[in-house]
């Protein structure tokens, strides 16, 4: 059986980089890319026939967030004593 390329992750809550905040929430992933995030019922109405649903009932999902907290501007200082 061929696996569907779309996966819908249903979670206790989602928060994305644009500020979308849903409790509960869902994230739709198509071939490894986040294509939608938001209210569970809204996304299931649109996507449920095209993909499989993965339940994460106790998780907070943070799609497409990148931790850029690297202080690259301080790289030239080298190691700092504690």
């Amino acid at each position: 059986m061929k696996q569907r390329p779309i996966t819908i992750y249903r979670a206790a809550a989602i928060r994305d980089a644009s500020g979308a905040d849903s409790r509960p929430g869902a994230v739709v992933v198509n071939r490894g890319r986040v294509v939608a995030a938001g209210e569970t019922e809204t996304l299931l109405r649109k996507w449920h026939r095209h993909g499989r649903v993965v339940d994460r009932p106790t998780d907070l999902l943070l799609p497409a967030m990148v931790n850029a907290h690297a202080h690259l501007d301080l790289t030239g200082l080298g190691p700092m004593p504690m």
Side-chain angles (χ1 to χ4, degrees):
M1 184 170 155
K2 186 178 178 182
Q3 186 176 7
R4 297 176 181 176
I6 295 173
T7 304
I8 303 149
Y9 295 94
R10 195 165 36 183
I14 66 107
R15 175 97 185 188
D16 73 7
S18 72
D21 186 10
S22 296
R23 294 178 187 153
V27 175
V28 179
V29 178
N30 184 6
R31 292 185 171 91
R33 291 185 174 234
V34 173
V35 294
E39 295 180 7
T40 303
E41 294 306 317
T42 302
L43 293 178
L44 285 177
R45 272 195 301 274
K46 181 175 180 180
W47 295 95
H48 81 279
R49 294 180 187 192
H50 304 289
R52 66 185 180 102
V53 176
V54 175
D55 284 317
R56 307 297 301 188
T58 62
D59 293 346
L60 164 65
L61 300 181
L62 303 169
M65 303 242 339
V66 175
N67 182 0
H69 194 92
H71 295 283
L72 295 177
D73 57 324
L74 302 176
T75 302
L77 296 178
M80 302 296 289
M82 298 287 250

